[in-house]
Amino acid sequence: MAERDLSGEHRSQGFMQDRRDLRTMRALLIEGGGVRSAFAAGVLDALANEVEPFDIVAGTSAGALLGAAFLAGQHGRSARVLRDPTCRAAFGRIGDFLRGGDLVDLDLLYDAAEALEPLDVTALCASPSRFYVTLTDVDTGEGGLIAPEPEEMVDALIATSALPIAVREPRHLRGRRWLDGGIALPVPVQEVIGLGATDLLIVRTRQAGYRNSGRSGRLAAPWFDRNQPALAEALRKRGDVYNAMLDLIDAPPAGIRIEQILPRRAPACSRTGGTDVDVVRDHLMGMDAGRTWLTEQRLRAR
């Protein structure tokens, strides 16, 4: 196959280019991070109604939840969910965990979010963008990128967020058992390139220069050695997989353009918690980062 000619004025216009140009396929990728995703929620709220639809939107863990609301046109929903006391109560449930339950109650989180503001699955599925979520197969340790059908949407969004140990039981979908997509497929850069994407915008929840030490995966792995050895191996490799993804972002294949929007400081929220003030601060930081990126794109397109 001949290499695409992606030079000249078209390339200088970046993500604001004329959508009639059939040489490009644009993808928006959203990293997970639990409550830390308040930053990414702010970025997406800044981008809402300011960019043409992406051809592909793919999210991992909390990033998938944000992407779903973004495509459904429910701007601000993700921040409202993260700020809601009932939704935040789903995180850090130490008492439940010590009694054999989940540290993060995903069913409570989903029910509370639906009570606050139901996800418009009809609008999501009617979006012109193809929506994908990442998952980790418990029995093979491999990552999967799937486009959920409407009737699968809830199960897929919960499965991609099911962090091992924090959630004791895998989620079932399409006859397979899944956990958090961030284990084996933290950001599906190579996968969306394989789908034909040429221009990737990645919304990260980690600062520039971050590298994954792999320590948390190695500490978690022994929990699964006996009954789920493939998952244990995937956890041990998680740091290397994440860093290989970063290397690909830094040095993409010829003809592939990758841009990132990253927090300028470490988010105030952690993966499993944060105060209302922390959520607001991170969301505002994300909105500022998104608006800055848009301004840069407009200047580049002149």
Side-chain angles (χ1 to χ4, degrees):
M1 180 181 295
E3 182 178 319
R4 290 180 174 89
D5 177 14
L6 299 178
S7 59
E9 182 181 358
H10 163 69
R11 300 307 291 166
S12 69
Q13 290 176 346
F15 284 82
M16 307 295 281
Q17 79 269 6
D18 189 338
R19 297 299 295 127
R20 292 172 296 181
D21 191 332
L22 300 180
R23 295 174 297 174
T24 64
M25 180 185 289
R26 304 188 317 152
L28 171 65
L29 309 183
I30 311 156
E31 186 175 26
V35 186
R36 194 171 62 240
S37 66
F39 168 80
V43 172
L44 296 185
D45 286 341
L47 299 186
N49 303 319
E50 296 293 334
V51 293
E52 293 291 328
F54 291 86
D55 299 291
I56 293 172
V57 173
T60 297
S61 193
L65 303 176
L66 270 57
F70 178 76
L71 291 181
Q74 294 175 278
H75 311 311
R77 178 184 187 268
S78 299
R80 289 188 287 274
V81 167
L82 288 170
R83 293 187 64 188
D84 181 75
T86 305
C87 294
R88 290 225 307 276
F91 295 89
R93 299 178 68 84
I94 298 295
D96 287 354
F97 185 72
L98 294 176
R99 290 189 293 271
D102 290 340
L103 183 63
V104 178
D105 190 332
L106 293 175
D107 293 310
L108 172 61
L109 177 60
Y110 174 78
D111 290 342
E114 286 293 292
L116 178 68
E117 184 177 341
L119 177 66
D120 191 341
V121 175
T122 300
L124 165 59
C125 294
S127 166
S129 304
R130 287 182 284 162
F131 179 57
Y132 293 89
V133 304
T134 71
L135 298 164
T136 299
D137 187 314
V138 169
D139 299 306
T140 66
E142 297 177 352
L145 185 67
I146 71 166
E149 298 295 334
E151 64 275 11
E152 300 175 317
M153 192 63 67
V154 173
D155 289 336
L157 291 174
I158 292 178
T160 188
S161 305
L163 192 69
I165 298 179
V167 174
R168 292 184 184 270
E169 293 297 324
R171 294 287 172 152
H172 294 262
L173 182 67
R174 300 184 181 182
R176 298 164 72 178
R177 300 190 301 163
W178 305 96
L179 282 172
D180 191 309
I183 302 168
L185 203 55
V187 181
V189 180
Q190 184 63 64
E191 288 69 22
V192 298
I193 292 174
L195 291 172
T198 57
D199 290 56
L200 284 65
L201 174 61
I202 305 175
V203 180
R204 299 273 306 284
T205 55
R206 294 289 193 180
Q207 291 176 275
Y210 170 80
R211 303 286 288 187
N212 192 307
S213 69
R215 182 173 181 270
S216 62
R218 291 193 300 271
L219 289 174
W223 287 59
F224 304 98
D225 275 329
R226 180 185 295 272
N227 297 319
Q228 296 164 343
L231 177 63
E233 184 64 16
L235 286 164
R236 289 189 172 92
K237 293 179 178 177
R238 183 173 181 273
D240 292 338
V241 168
Y242 190 96
N243 294 334
M245 176 269 295
L246 294 178
D247 292 339
L248 177 59
I249 292 173
D250 291 339
I256 303 299
R257 174 193 177 96
I258 299 179
E259 295 192 12
Q260 300 184 80
I261 301 179
L262 307 103
R264 65 178 184 272
R265 57 165 173 78
C269 296
S270 67
R271 180 180 295 275
T272 58
T275 67
D276 186 68
V277 172
D278 292 336
V279 172
V280 171
R281 287 179 61 196
D282 288 349
H283 183 260
L284 290 174
M285 178 172 63
M287 291 195 69
D288 181 64
R291 289 167 178 160
T292 298
W293 182 85
L294 286 168
T295 298
E296 293 170 349
Q297 293 296 307
R298 294 187 180 104
L299 291 173
R300 191 181 302 171
R302 288 181 179 178

